[in-house]
């Protein structure tokens, strides 16, 4: 018994896990919540700001909204290393393409470049990316390239680990043809709900509105999170319009039944 | 159906599901979808009722392995009736929830089911209790459960308010179930809702084509 304990003790002394916390061996991941919405004239994108390695928050003020061209941004989720590497490659390719054409690149071109890299190296990579921006041919567009390398254009898209918690909120609150202010409100409300429920999302909310006139960036700090509720006038520090959010749906023909069926 | 999906965490028939219970002013609404699936690929039943009456004003709904859930609820129903006869009064909702908890906690190795118990009693009025997988018991103003519930955490956090009216609460529960059923492939079918108040119990069924539709449908 004593001999067995001694060997176990020796083994523990020499193992790495005792000397340092387990997150030092974990890969850096942007377990996250990202969201992008199209509106007439541009797009609004948003993300949280937490980067984790296992249980340790490596960066609590990360900027996950990175520009790849003047009016094209991408939101990244998944492995931090993979998304940074792809972004560098695509930014180079896109810059080159834009110089060759002598005009601003299309958002669809940027999205296709991401898809090409993500699909070719799908076995090695773990990256989910939302590409959003404005170009003069099609206006505001949102393209999503999830893990695996699919490309699809959607009017509103969420991604990252925290996105599962806000599908319901997004489905019920998104309506086509919203204004920029309504989109900003939807994105910040949805992100704050996801940050509350997902352990890998948190910190501050970073927002950007991209349109023909340029990019406006905003940060909502932790103590100003809207929490998905309607804004009241007194704590309306940024958005000055009150928006009716309840989605009234008719519950037709409710029937009362006594039978219980298996 | 011979194929069993061994890599699914629940072997056999599972109620991959969406269940919820919400208190309102004067009562409680408990609701669920109606799909029973096996392995995420085959729908065993499109019209199963997951809302089980364990006493006159106490219902519970089940998530997880259907076999486990049926076994536990049958036992719980018997124990609660016996308790109610001995006490010569209707059981408290907390008592019913505790019975479920005891069964789940003492058999936590074998069981794979979580429960929501909701009802009305004279002492505390409308209440909602949730018993999680390992046997934890929590009392909450509203709760959601099952695989489809992850998609509606944001929606219910944003939309729930205490002391709703019966109609508002019905609308809230229906919307939440419809949203979850729209995103979760193992939840679907019809929406079963039971409204429990002091005056009685009303079972409301909303067929799939009458559920609220959202922007992309």
């Amino acid at each position: 018994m004593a001999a067995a304990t001694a060997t176990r003790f020796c083994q523990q002394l020499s193992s790495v896990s005792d000397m340092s916390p387990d997150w030092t061996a974990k890969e850096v991941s942007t377990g996250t919540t990202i969201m992008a919405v199209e509106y007439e004239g541009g797009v609004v994108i948003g993300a949280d700001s937490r980067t984790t390695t296992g249980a340790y928050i490596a960066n609590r003020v990360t900027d996950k909204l990175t520009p790849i061209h003047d009016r094209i941004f991408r939101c990244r989720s998944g492995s931090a290393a993979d998304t940074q590497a792809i972004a560098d490659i695509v930014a180079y390719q896109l810059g080159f393409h834009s110089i060759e054409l002598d005009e601003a690149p299309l958002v669809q071109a940027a999205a296709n470049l991401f898809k090409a890299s993500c699909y070719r190296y799908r076995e090695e990579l773990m990256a989910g990316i939302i590409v959003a921006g404005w170009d003069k041919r099609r206006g505001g567009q949102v393209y999503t390239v999830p893990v695996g390398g699919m490309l699809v254009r959607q009017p509103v898209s969420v991604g990252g680990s925290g996105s599962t918690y806000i599908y319901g909120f997004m489905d019920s609150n998104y309506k086509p043809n919203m204004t920029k202010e309504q989109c900003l409100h939807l994105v910040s409300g949805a992100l704050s709900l996801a940050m509350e429920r997902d352990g890998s999302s948190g910190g501050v909310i970073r927002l950007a509105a991209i349109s023909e006139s340029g990019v406006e960036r905003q940060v909502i700090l932790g103590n100003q999170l809207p929490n998905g509720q309607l804004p009241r006038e007194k704590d309306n520090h940024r958005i000055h319009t009150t928006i009716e959010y309840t989605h009234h749906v008719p519950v037709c023909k409710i029937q009362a039944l006594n039978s219980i069926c298996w | 159906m011979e194929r069993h999906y061994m890599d699914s965490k629940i072997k056999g028939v599972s109620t991959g599901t969406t269940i919820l219970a919400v208190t309102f002013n004067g009562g409680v609404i408990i609701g669920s979808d109606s799909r029973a699936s096996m392995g995420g690929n085959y729908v065993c039943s499109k019209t199963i009722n997951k809302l089980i009456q364990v006493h006159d004003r106490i219902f519970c709904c089940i998530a997880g392995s259907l076999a486990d859930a049926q076994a536990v609820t049958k036992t719980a129903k018997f124990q609660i009736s016996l308790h109610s006869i001995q006490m010569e009064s209707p059981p408290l909702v907390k008592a019913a929830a505790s019975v479920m908890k005891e069964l789940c906690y003492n058999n936590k190795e074998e069981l794979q089911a979580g429960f929501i118990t909701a009802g009305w009693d004279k002492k505390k009025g409308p209440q909602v209790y949730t018993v999680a997988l390992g046997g934890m018991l929590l009392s909450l103003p509203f709760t959601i459960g099952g695989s489809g519930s992850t998609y509606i955490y944001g929606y219910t956090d944003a939309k729930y308010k205490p002391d709703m009216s019966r109609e508002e609460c019905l609308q809230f529960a229906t919307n939440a179930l419809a949203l979850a059923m729209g995103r979760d492939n193992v939840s679907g079918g019809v929406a079963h809702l039971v409204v429990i108040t002091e005056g009685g119990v009303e079972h409301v069924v909303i067929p799939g084509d009458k559920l609220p539709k959202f922007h992309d449908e």
Side-chain angles (χ1 to χ4, degrees), chain B residues 50-80:
Chain B
K50 304 176 194 177
L51 306 176
I52 301 173
Q53 187 162 23
V54 290
H55 208 265
D56 292 345
R57 299 270 187 289
I58 306 177
F59 273 70
C60 76
C61 50
I62 50 182
S65 155
L66 195 45
D68 288 345
Q70 286 182 347
V72 171
T73 47
K74 266 205 166 72
T75 316
K77 210 166 163 174
F78 161 72
Q79 290 187 357
I80 293 165

Side-chain angles (χ1 to χ4, degrees), chain A residues 228-240:
Chain A
Q229 304 292 339
L230 287 175
R232 284 168 296 235
E233 285 307 311
K234 60 178 167 61
D235 49 33
N236 206 347
H237 57 278
R238 186 178 50 82
I239 298 171
H240 298 286

Side-chain angles (χ1 to χ4, degrees), chain A residues 21-214:
Chain A
D22 68 340
W23 47 257
T24 53
K26 291 257 173 62
E27 192 193 340
V28 177
S29 137
T30 54
T32 184
T33 315
I34 50 180
M35 187 164 170
V37 189
E38 289 174 10
Y39 68 92
E40 190 64 46
V43 292
V44 168
I45 55 175
D48 72 305
S49 70
R50 183 175 287 187
T51 305
T52 51
T53 48
Y56 173 64
I57 299 173
N59 186 350
R60 62 189 170 106
V61 286
T62 325
D63 184 5
K64 302 182 190 177
L65 310 174
T66 48
I68 46 176
H69 208 265
D70 295 342
R71 302 265 187 295
I72 307 177
F73 270 63
R74 80 186 162 120
C75 322
R76 48 194 183 91
S77 71
S79 152
D82 289 346
T83 52
Q84 285 177 353
I86 300 172
D88 288 342
I89 295 170
V90 171
Y92 160 72
Q93 290 171 334
L94 197 65
F96 193 74
H97 170 74
S98 161
I99 289 170
E100 280 183 320
L101 256 58
D102 202 20
E103 65 178 24
L106 295 179
V107 185
Q108 192 173 10
N112 271 292
L113 286 170
F114 272 111
K115 181 203 79 175
S117 296
C118 290
Y119 181 65
R120 167 164 295 184
Y121 299 109
R122 59 191 300 184
E123 307 299 328
E124 289 95 349
L125 295 175
M126 201 188 70
I129 295 174
I130 298 180
V131 182
W134 181 92
D135 64 44
K136 67 172 193 285
R137 190 183 292 185
R138 294 202 184 96
Q141 299 146 73
V142 171
Y143 293 88
T144 174
V145 182
V147 172
M150 169 183 87
L151 170 66
V152 71
R153 180 181 173 187
Q154 292 176 317
V156 57
S157 182
V158 294
S161 57
S163 66
T164 54
Y165 303 107
I166 49 174
Y167 275 112
F169 181 81
M170 181 190 83
D171 283 341
S172 63
N173 284 91
Y174 171 75
K175 299 177 272 296
N177 302 322
M178 292 199 289
T179 65
K180 180 171 89 161
E181 293 299 322
Q182 288 174 321
C183 287
L184 279 167
H185 203 154
L186 175 66
V187 173
S188 56
L191 286 175
S192 65
L193 287 167
M195 281 155 63
E196 212 178 298
R197 285 286 180 181
D198 181 28
S200 324
S201 303
V204 305
I205 295 181
R206 294 196 189 274
L207 296 168
I210 309 166
S211 61
E212 180 173 11
S213 50

Side-chain angles (χ1 to χ4, degrees), chain B residues 182-210:
Chain B
R183 285 288 180 179
D184 185 26
N185 65 331
V186 289
S187 300
V190 306
H192 286 289
L193 296 164
V194 171
V195 185
I196 308 168
T197 54
E198 178 175 9
V201 162
E202 187 194 336
H203 191 164
V204 172
V205 174
I206 304 172
D209 58 346
K210 302 282 195 301

